[in-house]
Amino acid sequence: MAKKTENFERPDGRKLNELRPIKARVGVIPNADGSAIYQSGDTIAIAAVYGPKKMHPQHQQDPAKGVLRCSYNMMTFSVSDRIKPGTSRRSTEISKITEWALEPVLMLDKFPGQVIDIFIHIIQADAGTRCAGINAASMALAHAGVPMKNLVCSVSVGKLDKTLVVDLTKEEEDFEEGEGPTDIPVSMTPDGKITHLQLDGKIGPEQLKEVLDIGKKAIEEIYEIQKKALKEAFN
Amino acid sequence: MDKVMTTPGTTGERIREYLESGKRFDERDLLEFRDIVIEKGISNKAEGSVRVKVGESEVLVGVKMDVGTPYPDSADKGNLIVTAELLPLSSPRYEAGPPKFPAIEVGRLIDRYIRESKFIQMEKLCITEGEKVWNVYVDIYSINDDGNLLDAAGIGAVAALKIAKIPGYNEETGKADYKHMTDKSLPLEKEMPVTITVHKVGKSFLVDPSREEEDLCDARVTFGIKGGVISSIQKGESNAIDFEIMKDVIDIAAKSVVELEKKIEKALK
């Protein structure tokens, strides 16, 4: 029998809408123009921003606007089974997703012919790595002083059997009872502009709308933490 | 926000002048290391992991293990695999893409330094002779490059190996069982090897160069030393070192490594 929503218990005892403990800090890489580390539970992402700077190779320059170039990668030892060094199909896709998630808040038309490089590395993984990466990258951009319309915040909402929960752990992603797990990473600005949405699993349209509402609430919390970390650095 | 990719000539000249009178920009002695900070357990899925800071240079090193097959010429020994990545995250000098020579050199040098020092008792990492042995991966990532990443990587590799715990072994599947880690450490020699690189700038010799000093380096010699015994050497860069002077370099390495060992021991506590 599928468990009822109201008495669903999460393996780590969190409430359904409770995020994992978050630690965020900027200015962690002295060489970078902007940098941040973002930890959500056992997932840790570090990000560095270099730029805006002249785009090389030159043929990739866009005379109309600047280019955002993201690179997401997991460290070999960030998961139980060692990952081979170098890029994979998965990391290539997440790099692109991250660009799409962040571009809407950047004023790239102010930087024709230039590039903003963001490098994201996952030091330790317990699900939600792309979200942690986007959160770190967004903070690193702000730390670099790149003009932004807003921060971007990211969280994964999950449907475990029939129950919606925020910020899945790996253990929850592997949940097998009832309808199984559905993972819905979403990124948006605190004023509700969605810049990234993915879904793996199954869900009805009405419940998916509910996912967005739950995601929005979680994102408001993340925004406050990001903002606090940035303010601390500039005090 | 463009950054300078090399140390400009005027700064370089001033650094050279300083060095000749035995001084450095950061007031260190020529044979003095910067402060070393080692933070253990920075990644919980790794069998052992550390963050090492030498001044503002920073590396992360993780040790992973899995079950593999031995090489035909070492049928009863485990395998050691060392890789290093100089991340574009860590400096505007590094570009994305396949590893280039500097990163490959760090990986190769650390590999030989660990291997030749016989720090890991590889024969104790054999599960079934000729069939199954433990692979030990040491993966190194640069986080911030302010010079001398090589020695920082060496410190990190040894520190991560020291704290690593061996995963469980599932007899049925013949694979590592990460859910049931043992509390056994790797079979290591008591004495730890230390890597130290002596840099030649003009007529001066120094250790632990800052990024600017490293840019001016005419030649460098990297030593792997364990208990006063040298077990690996590599001379780098394309300037010759006179053989009498090389003898001085050997003395400098042998002398400086004592202080460095103390600093590492202290940081490990």
Side-chain angles (χ1 to χ4, degrees), chain A residues 84-122:
Chain A
K84 269 196 193 155
T87 53
S88 62
R89 288 160 57 93
R90 175 181 177 275
S91 67
T92 305
E93 186 198 353
I94 295 178
S95 297
K96 196 68 200 170
I97 291 285
T98 304
E99 281 171 19
W100 289 339
L102 296 168
E103 252 178 61
V105 299
L106 297 177
M107 299 157 190
L108 289 173
D109 53 346
K110 289 194 188 308
F111 306 102
Q114 307 207 62
V115 62
I116 300 172
D117 268 320
I118 307 183
F119 303 102
I120 302 163
H121 292 272
I122 305 303

Side-chain angles (χ1 to χ4, degrees), chain B residues 42-60:
Chain B
I42 51 95
S43 186
N44 66 3
K45 301 272 166 53
E47 274 67 273
S49 63
V50 292
R51 163 181 284 122
V52 174
K53 285 188 185 175
V54 178
E56 279 207 341
S57 277
E58 179 177 336
V59 296
L60 299 186

Side-chain angles (χ1 to χ4, degrees), chain A residues 28-33 37 42 44 46-48 50-54 71 73-83 85-86 114 119-121 123-126 144-146 170, chain B residues 1-3 41-49 51 56 58 60-66 81 83 85 87-92 94 96 137 139-146 178:
Chain A
V28 292
I29 302 169
N31 279 342
D33 295 313
I37 194 159
D42 277 339
I44 308 174
I46 187 167
Y50 289 90
K53 59 185 183 182
K54 202 170 160 195
S71 142
N73 236 318
M74 295 179 81
M75 289 189 172
T76 54
F77 47 77
S78 61
V79 285
S80 290
D81 289 304
R82 177 180 180 266
I83 304 174
Q114 307 207 62
F119 303 102
I120 302 163
H121 292 272
I123 296 173
Q124 181 176 292
D126 183 23
V146 175
K170 185 78 180 70
Chain B
M1 292 187 196
D2 282 334
K3 291 242 168 96
I42 51 95
S43 186
N44 66 3
K45 301 272 166 53
E47 274 67 273
S49 63
R51 163 181 284 122
E56 279 207 341
E58 179 177 336
L60 299 186
V61 182
V63 170
K64 282 298 298 174
M65 292 176 70
D66 66 13
I81 302 103
T83 73
E85 280 193 58
L87 301 179
L89 165 120
S90 65
S91 169
Y94 302 136
Y137 299 91
D139 292 316
I140 300 157
Y141 292 94
S142 64
I143 297 297
N144 194 64
D145 177 9
D146 189 28
Y178 302 103

Side-chain angles (χ1 to χ4, degrees), chain A residues 125-229:
Chain A
D126 183 23
T129 62
R130 73 194 65 193
C131 298
I134 289 167
N135 286 330
S138 167
M139 292 167 68
L141 281 165
H143 179 240
V146 175
M148 296 166 84
K149 293 170 194 156
N150 215 331
L151 285 168
V152 175
C153 318
S154 187
V155 72
S156 84
V157 181
K159 178 172 145 296
L160 303 180
D161 185 20
K162 292 182 168 56
T163 310
L164 295 181
V165 301
V166 299
D167 197 12
L168 295 181
T169 61
K170 185 78 180 70
E171 189 183 358
E172 289 174 323
E173 268 187 3
D174 297 339
F175 179 85
E176 276 180 352
E177 288 170 51
E179 292 180 6
T182 301
D183 181 20
I184 312 144
V186 53
S187 307
M188 57 176 115
T189 59
D191 55 359
K193 293 196 172 60
I194 295 172
T195 62
H196 153 230
L197 180 65
Q198 288 175 289
L199 184 146
D200 285 299
K202 55 177 179 180
I203 193 165
E206 285 312 312
Q207 203 175 15
L208 183 55
K209 290 179 196 163
E210 210 183 312
V211 165
L212 297 182
D213 291 331
I214 290 172
K216 172 105 187 345
K217 284 211 182 74
I219 267 156
E220 283 161 10
E221 282 180 54
I222 293 167
Y223 174 66
E224 290 306 320
I225 291 163
Q226 288 177 318
K227 213 166 58 176
K228 190 164 160 263

Side-chain angles (χ1 to χ4, degrees), chain B residues 119-192:
Chain B
F119 182 50
I120 310 175
Q121 297 162 348
M122 290 310 230
E123 64 285 354
K124 291 194 181 156
L125 292 174
C126 176
I127 301 167
T128 333
E129 192 175 329
E131 285 175 22
K132 282 192 183 338
V133 296
W134 286 107
N135 290 328
V136 180
Y137 299 91
V138 176
D139 292 316
I140 300 157
Y141 292 94
S142 64
I143 297 297
N144 194 64
D145 177 9
D146 189 28
N148 202 25
L149 285 177
L150 181 57
D151 291 350
I155 296 166
V158 168
L161 286 166
K162 270 182 102 112
I163 60 169
K165 299 288 181 214
I166 302 174
Y169 175 67
N170 186 323
E171 303 261 351
E172 276 169 37
T173 60
K175 285 183 179 164
D177 181 357
Y178 302 103
K179 290 210 170 98
H180 300 95
M181 298 293 288
T182 70
D183 56 2
K184 272 192 289 184
S185 300
L186 280 166
L188 302 174
E189 294 284 320
K190 259 214 177 106
E191 211 151 22
M192 68 174 181

